[in-house]
Amino acid sequence: MPTESAPIANTLPSALRRWDIFCNVIDNFGDIGVCWRLARQLANEHGASVRLWVDDLASFRPLCPELDVACDAQTVSTGQAGVGRATQVEVRRWTTPFSPVSPLLPLEPSDVVIEAFACRLPESYERAMAARQPAPVWINLDYLSAENWVAGCHALPSPHPRLPLTKYFFYPGFNAKTGGLLHEHGLDAARQNFKAEPEQQAEFWRRLGFAPPDPGTQTLTVFAYENPALPRLLDMWAGETTPTCLLLPPTRTQASVEAWLGEGLPPGRAIRRGALEIRAVPFVDQIDFDRLLWLGSANFVRGEDSFVRAQWAATPFVWHIYPQEDGAHQVKLEAFLARYTEGLSPAAARAVREVHAAWNGFTPPDEAAKAWHAWRAARPELEAHALRWQKNLQKQEDLCSALVRFCRTKL
Ligand code: TRH
């Protein structure tokens, strides 16, 4: 079982050195967020040579500011997260029709091919995979879910209907029967270090463009989708005696916050209403995004990757799950909360459920303030629980290492 202090293997067999990751950006930042994080960890901690194919470089750029969106093939630096060595990843534009370099120059598929979130590889690329000797290890990296069926589907093979290829389903998850969660080695040491050193925090506040808030202020971060409950909570925080500093990245909640304020809130600006100060922070890279969460005494997160990062931050969080038209997200949220609330007192478990129901629109927005009061009353217990939950999750093998180990069994 890997631990924080375990040495980094960095020794992929030569038959697994080269990786292709295909990412189709459906919306927002989650698809590319997960692919970029995986690419970085494969390169930094396992010494993999990674080629990341992305169909929407503009959506990728906020996460990787050095990216040139006009460039079809480029190398970008991975940055150092945890204890891995910063290195480089090759980024390729994924065009339709697929034209990797030139139609005259066939593309050699890599040793391992990751199709992220069932994004369907180009047919010509699949044919090239089938022609390669040996065929690449082909993985579909799926979305994260805490539902029970995940353990039964993880690692299942799916033969190609026509070509001599097998694709394997790789499911992230919350127990050892799944592929685990993305987690860099040394991440928790970096977090503890940051929490213990006010100078590091002050330096980060400076980079965000603000001074640290006054002592006694509760710092919250809000990264969410459009959310009718948010104005109700803003009213509540503004009317309290405890000061709140709310850090707001530029995202889909912007318009409703500006409507609530009655004025614009560009990045770098702070506006106070009563006990609430809202600070518009810039969009930061993924390494700084962790730091942002480490500043929060509670974090509102969304989607998949920020949801996982909030769990590594070991502080209480509220998850805005990605809404799906068929309502499947309600089942997914339930499945997660069933796991997460295990071991909590009935009152704290109820508070977690009610705050999530209000934040995700399963109860009327007017319920939000009441739910938050109950949640806040349970806060000491929720803080201890968040730390316990994080420690337990850390006992699990991280997704990247599990993926490498799985691929070795396919050689
Ligand atoms: O952006 P998301 O909502 O992404 C998604 C997509 O909608 C996707 O289609 C859906 O399937 C998936 O959710 C479930 O939320 P997520 O997953 O949290 O991704 C956000 C990424 O952006 C994450 O990697 C963190 C990163 N980020 C930064 O690096 N810096 C920032 O300042 C912010 C606000 C986010």
Side-chain angles (χ1 to χ4, degrees):
M1 192 58 65
T3 63
E4 283 292 300
S5 55
I8 290 167
N10 234 349
T11 50
L12 285 173
S14 59
L16 291 180
R17 282 271 152 78
R18 296 183 307 124
W19 295 59
D20 273 326
I21 302 177
F22 282 84
C23 177
N24 164 216
V25 176
I26 297 180
D27 57 8
N28 305 319
F29 303 105
D31 308 290
I32 185 58
V34 167
C35 291
W36 177 226
R37 189 178 295 290
L38 174 65
R40 287 170 43 230
Q41 196 179 354
L42 280 166
N44 287 5
E45 297 184 16
H46 297 271
S49 162
V50 183
R51 201 160 46 178
L52 176 57
W53 298 86
V54 186
D55 65 349
D56 175 0
L57 294 180
S59 291
F60 185 9
R61 187 140 190 286
L63 300 171
C64 178
E66 75 172 89
L67 194 76
D68 179 351
V69 294
C71 193
D72 290 343
Q74 59 196 300
T75 49
V76 292
S77 53
T78 53
Q80 186 180 353
V83 297
R85 280 189 318 241
T87 176
Q88 293 195 314
V89 159
E90 185 181 347
V91 176
R92 295 282 192 101
R93 188 192 307 280
W94 177 3
T95 54
T96 306
F98 190 53
S99 54
V101 182
S102 112
L104 302 174
L105 199 64
L107 177 88
E108 166 86 356
S110 291
D111 305 317
V112 183
V113 177
I114 309 280
E115 170 184 311
F117 313 122
C119 64
R120 284 297 323 257
L121 300 181
E123 272 184 41
S124 60
Y125 185 87
E126 284 187 3
R127 284 196 300 276
M129 283 166 69
R132 187 186 191 271
Q133 284 302 327
V137 183
W138 184 9
I139 306 281
N140 172 51
L141 173 64
D142 226 297
Y143 287 113
L144 171 64
S145 171
E147 290 164 285
N148 287 333
W149 59 262
V150 167
C153 295
H154 174 61
L156 286 185
S158 164
H160 192 284
R162 292 178 314 280
L163 299 169
L165 290 170
T166 300
K167 170 160 74 181
Y168 294 91
F169 288 94
F170 201 89
Y171 282 93
F174 295 92
N175 64 41
K177 293 188 178 139
T178 69
L181 300 170
L182 282 168
H183 179 264
E184 297 82 6
H185 287 259
L187 176 68
D188 202 47
R191 180 188 70 86
Q192 290 186 35
N193 214 275
F194 183 84
K195 295 285 242 189
E197 290 192 18
E199 315 82 69
Q200 269 197 55
Q201 296 170 30
E203 196 272 326
F204 183 56
W205 277 112
R206 257 193 307 280
R207 282 201 287 120
L208 289 176
F210 299 99
D214 293 336
T217 304
Q218 72 161 347
T219 300
L220 305 175
T221 69
V222 174
F223 179 47
Y225 307 113
E226 294 80 358
N227 193 319
L230 180 58
R232 310 301 207 281
L233 292 182
L234 298 179
D235 285 339
M236 185 198 66
W237 288 318
E240 286 180 335
T241 45
T242 309
T244 295
C245 171
L246 190 150
L247 303 181
L248 190 75
T251 67
R252 290 167 53 179
T253 42
Q254 186 79 17
S256 71
V257 173
E258 290 182 342
W260 182 83
L261 287 167
E263 57 186 305
L265 187 68
R269 186 150 182 230
I271 300 181
R272 181 178 289 281
R273 295 284 182 269
L276 171 66
E277 185 186 44
I278 305 180
R279 296 180 171 187
V281 295
F283 201 99
V284 293
D285 68 23
Q286 283 185 326
I287 298 173
D288 274 349
F289 184 67
D290 281 328
R291 297 190 177 107
L292 191 74
L293 297 179
W294 299 341
L295 291 179
S297 58
N299 296 303
F300 290 75
V301 284
R302 73 184 202 192
E304 176 161 330
D305 191 55
S306 60
F307 161 60
V308 172
R309 304 316 280 185
Q311 293 170 65
W312 296 133
T315 35
F317 64 92
V318 183
W319 181 27
H320 197 174
I321 190 167
Y322 182 73
Q324 286 170 272
E325 271 170 19
D326 55 4
H329 60 296
Q330 189 157 8
V331 178
K332 274 175 101 172
L333 178 64
E334 270 309 310
F336 175 72
L337 291 179
R339 281 179 202 276
Y340 189 75
T341 54
E342 235 173 71
L344 281 174
S345 68
R350 198 168 47 249
V352 169
R353 286 183 176 284
E354 286 177 0
V355 104
H356 277 88
W359 191 242
N360 283 281
F362 300 134
T363 50
D366 288 338
E367 297 291 309
K370 196 170 101 218
W372 180 261
H373 284 302
W375 189 90
R376 204 179 36 197
R379 197 144 167 176
E381 184 180 344
L382 295 179
E383 279 165 4
H385 183 70
L387 188 58
R388 214 169 31 243
W389 174 261
Q390 185 249 27
K391 282 200 186 320
N392 276 336
L393 284 186
Q394 277 192 82
K395 292 183 190 150
Q396 225 179 267
E397 186 177 26
D398 72 273
L399 185 142
C400 188
S401 305
L403 188 56
V404 166
R405 192 171 48 76
F406 178 79
C407 291
R408 279 177 185 265
T409 66
K410 302 299 163 205
L411 288 180

